[in-house]
Amino acid sequence: MSYFNNKIVWITGASSGIGRALAIEFSNQGAKCILSARAKDGLEQTNRLTENADQNVVMPLDVTNEQKVEYAVQRVIELGGVDILINNAGVSQRSTVEKTEMDVYRSLMEVNYFGVVKLTKTVLPHMIEKGQGSIVTISSIAGKVGPPYRAGYAASKHALHGFFDSMRAETSHKGIHTLVVCPGYINTPIAHNALAGDGQKYNKRDAENANGLEANDLAKRILKAIEKKKTEVYFGKFEVNAVRLKRFLPGVLTKMLNRKFLKDPEK
Ligand code: NDP
């Protein structure tokens, strides 16, 4: 029987991309999913694609609304609690530092960092009370290495690593498993939904994402990492090597990223 059978898994950002693929995979393995994001129709569409739609709960939620997060956690506890929280909701960016407005940086932090912190710290006491639970957060390779056009996104993802390293140190003896996942390029609509420098949707296809790992492949790897109680994992194609290059050959990585930027400075 699957490790995930009958587990209750709460997935944010479940209306699209990686969140949708995770919902399908958890459901295939017998888990009951709570599906959250802002778009109710997108969540319902995800639910229809799952194995046991009638066992799942569609719970629209904007993770930047602290009051609504508290209310949603209360509802989830009343419904039976949560075994695995997947902090997956996120927004990317496609704009240079020179052309990005301050509000874009604030919006990215609100969703990718403060949204995750608020939901995590509201769920955490309930998991500690039970003496078990996994908190899984989808960071990025950009959470370890800052690529061009993504300064605000990379900063928001880097911040997650500091937060969760500290939280892991404080809670692992209480039965809390903390996993941070760093995907490389994944084939999802993330570029379309990314913010441009003026705060509008970027709304364009990104070849790197289109040629990236498929979301269902990533989802399978994430489930294995949860089962094995990993703490930090990197999944993708060639781009994943950037993490090791930064550690051992940082000058080479800088030159490579600068060259990549200069090929397409007006992206
Ligand atoms: P998508 O744009 O396809 O999905 C993003 C999801 O986040 C959507 O379900 C969206 O739903 C949700 N979301 C955005 N803002 C909010 C909010 N305020 N409250 C609740 N939900 C929100 O992108 P991906 O599936 O690719 O991205 C999922 C995660 O994976 C993100 O954290 C991203 O940074 C990360 N990632 C993705 C990579 C990739 O190459 N695709 C690589 C590395 C990391 P809605 O609009 O309905 O609210």
Side-chain angles (χ1 to χ4, degrees):
M1 190 192 292
S2 163
Y3 169 82
F4 298 102
N5 197 45
N6 280 329
K7 290 230 179 343
I8 303 179
V9 183
W10 189 0
I11 306 167
T12 68
S15 61
S16 175
I18 296 170
R20 174 170 289 171
L22 283 166
I24 293 168
E25 193 55 32
F26 275 117
S27 194
N28 280 343
Q29 301 219 17
K32 297 170 185 171
C33 298
I34 299 162
L35 306 173
S36 290
R38 291 164 304 178
K40 191 171 179 213
D41 52 344
L43 295 173
E44 281 165 352
Q45 208 183 326
T46 297
N47 200 24
R48 283 194 291 275
L49 294 168
T50 65
E51 194 75 10
N52 303 303
D54 51 332
Q55 294 201 31
N56 299 331
V57 178
V58 166
M59 194 179 287
L61 176 66
D62 181 341
V63 295
T64 66
N65 186 324
E66 292 196 21
Q67 236 182 333
K68 291 202 169 140
V69 168
E70 282 174 21
Y71 176 72
V73 171
Q74 202 48 48
R75 256 195 82 201
V76 166
I77 300 309
E78 283 161 15
L79 288 170
V82 53
D83 298 304
I84 301 171
L85 169 65
I86 313 276
N87 286 311
N88 167 72
V91 179
S92 193
Q93 173 198 6
R94 295 292 183 276
S95 55
T96 61
V97 171
E98 288 171 273
K99 291 187 181 160
T100 303
E101 290 173 13
M102 277 308 292
D103 279 350
V104 171
Y105 292 124
R106 293 200 176 91
S107 299
L108 292 165
M109 288 303 280
E110 282 300 332
V111 181
N112 297 349
Y113 180 67
F114 289 115
V116 172
V117 169
K118 177 65 186 173
L119 182 55
T120 298
K121 71 182 260 78
T122 314
V123 163
L124 185 63
H126 300 283
M127 286 189 172
I128 289 178
E129 201 182 316
K130 281 200 298 186
Q132 61 178 34
S134 285
I135 297 187
V136 180
T137 301
I138 312 302
S139 170
S140 171
I141 294 296
K144 305 301 280 186
V145 174
Y149 309 104
R150 291 172 182 70
Y153 177 72
S156 68
K157 294 293 188 180
H158 272 68
L160 293 171
H161 288 263
F163 180 85
F164 284 108
D165 284 351
S166 295
M167 196 189 90
R168 187 184 298 109
E170 294 170 11
T171 59
S172 58
H173 68 291
K174 294 181 178 173
I176 307 302
H177 163 227
T178 299
L179 166 63
V180 181
V181 179
C182 303
Y185 297 115
I186 311 298
N187 184 14
T188 72
I190 192 164
H192 281 91
N193 298 328
L195 298 180
D198 59 0
Q200 299 296 309
K201 267 195 181 187
Y202 182 66
N203 237 337
K204 287 185 207 160
R205 177 183 179 273
D206 194 320
E208 285 166 331
N209 290 104
N211 297 326
L213 203 67
E214 292 302 324
N216 58 354
D217 189 351
L218 174 71
K220 286 191 175 73
R221 297 191 201 189
I222 292 174
L223 265 71
K224 281 193 189 129
I226 298 171
E227 188 172 353
K228 289 183 182 160
K229 299 273 194 294
K230 298 274 189 191
T231 53
E232 187 168 298
V233 289
Y234 312 98
F235 296 135
K237 292 186 178 173
F238 178 75
E239 67 279 4
V240 167
N241 293 313
V243 178
R244 242 174 279 136
L245 264 186
K246 184 177 178 179
R247 186 174 302 160
F248 299 113
L249 293 168
V252 173
L253 179 66
T254 300
K255 281 195 188 121
M256 284 171 73
L257 291 177
N258 184 235
R259 216 176 299 139
K260 175 183 158 78
F261 174 71
L262 290 173
K263 264 190 201 162
D264 195 7
E266 294 301 327
K267 186 172 185 168

